[in-house]
Amino acid sequence: MPSSPVETPASISTVSIAERMAQVDARIRAAAEACGRDPATVALTVVSKTQGVEAIDAVLAAGARLFGENRVQEAQTRWTQERARPTDVELRLIGALQSNKAADAVALFDVIETLDRDSLARALATAIQKAGRAPRLLVQVNTGEEPQKAGIIPRDLDAFLRSVRDDYGLSVEGLMAIPPVDEAAGLHFALLGKLAARNGLKVLSMGMSGDFETAIRFGATHVRVGSAIFGERKSPEAPSRV
Ligand SMILES: *Cc1c(COP(=O)(O)O)cnc(C)c1O
């Protein structure tokens, strides 16, 4: 049910967040079915960066369990100080990780989606060994080879994956990408799928509010959705800065 503009602001936020999440869930299901995929093979990662307590509580109440965060400290505040983290909540780091925060990230996150360089692989391997806890790992790929964007460029990926495994003893379960804003996302999703298949990787984190249905068509197993659920973010957290 679309939220009507005459609702009072107080009632909108919680109600419409739950409604919008239900709409996103329904769109994911429809997109999967439209291409002959089992909807259960597509997971919704709710991108909770910048959101306040009430917004998060609304999506938790609506059933969200996978959350994407792009800053380690902000995620610590949200998931250890503002509330006790429900035990079945999975936290996924989707923003750039500095090597000096590797230990904090290993302690907090279940999945780190942004492994993108040798020095970070080394820092994560050290932190994982110390902590005795190993988040699952995705490698971020810079499919558009944009100079300002993080990620391994496609032609370096296979060697990087080998090095992560053989030199650091880390296992990688999939790939993540953020396509260039000004290009057809489908080409980039197709490329990421091809790179994953070639390396025997099963997890594909791709697709955001504007293009998650396309990503599902190209095999996404995890779509990262923020603004389609919460509305436009007030503070600028453009993915292109990640
Ligand atoms: C913010 C962000 C998203 C969510 O973007 P929306 O367009 O708000 O859905 C997804 N992925 C990454 C890496 C992000 O930083």
Side-chain angles (χ1 to χ4, degrees):
M1 196 178 70
S3 56
S4 109
V6 294
E7 278 177 291
T8 61
S11 72
I12 304 183
S13 57
T14 316
V15 173
S16 66
I17 283 174
E19 276 175 5
R20 282 197 295 255
M21 195 173 119
Q23 283 164 3
V24 167
D25 274 331
R27 286 170 59 190
I28 289 172
R29 234 184 355 264
E33 279 163 1
C35 61
R37 294 185 58 192
D38 176 357
T41 62
V42 184
L44 168 61
T45 299
V46 174
V47 176
S48 44
K49 66 186 181 196
T50 79
Q51 301 300 331
V53 176
E54 282 165 30
I56 305 296
D57 286 346
V59 284
L60 278 169
R65 285 301 175 269
L66 272 52
F67 287 87
E69 292 280 353
N70 70 342
R71 290 166 192 269
V72 176
Q73 241 171 326
E74 185 188 322
Q76 279 172 334
T77 304
R78 181 166 297 117
W79 296 103
T80 67
Q81 290 166 29
E82 291 178 355
R83 74 175 48 64
R85 166 184 174 180
T87 51
D88 58 349
V89 159
E90 177 174 291
L91 294 184
R92 307 176 66 95
L93 180 63
I94 61 172
L97 177 58
Q98 292 170 278
S99 296
N100 64 8
K101 299 221 177 90
D104 288 340
V106 163
L108 182 67
F109 288 96
D110 302 293
V111 181
I112 294 172
E113 299 200 7
T114 50
L115 173 54
D116 66 349
R117 60 196 189 276
D118 183 78
S119 57
L120 181 57
R122 180 188 313 248
L124 285 171
T126 305
I128 285 168
Q129 206 172 23
K130 271 198 195 136
R133 172 181 207 277
R136 282 131 55 209
L137 300 174
L138 308 191
V139 167
Q140 181 173 356
V141 182
N142 186 353
T143 58
E145 305 195 18
E146 297 170 279
Q148 82 284 8
K149 196 172 274 180
I152 295 280
I153 60 172
R155 69 173 165 277
D156 293 340
L157 178 67
D158 297 10
F160 182 67
L161 287 167
R162 273 196 302 278
S163 163
V164 164
R165 184 190 61 212
D166 298 342
D167 300 337
Y168 300 111
L170 299 174
S171 85
V172 168
E173 69 173 16
L175 303 178
M176 177 271 217
I178 308 167
V181 286
D182 54 352
E183 290 180 26
L187 296 174
H188 294 271
F189 298 150
L191 173 58
L192 198 70
K194 199 178 87 179
L195 294 169
R198 179 164 97 196
N199 285 283
L201 301 172
K202 299 247 155 27
V203 175
L204 278 177
S205 171
M206 57 190 196
M208 313 193 301
S209 291
D211 54 20
F212 66 85
E213 283 139 322
T214 306
I216 290 168
R217 191 145 33 88
F218 285 98
T221 62
H222 292 71
V223 294
R224 310 179 305 266
V225 180
S227 48
I229 294 171
F230 296 112
E232 292 301 322
R233 282 176 294 278
K234 284 171 211 93
S235 47
E237 284 288 347
S240 59
R241 291 174 51 225
V242 167

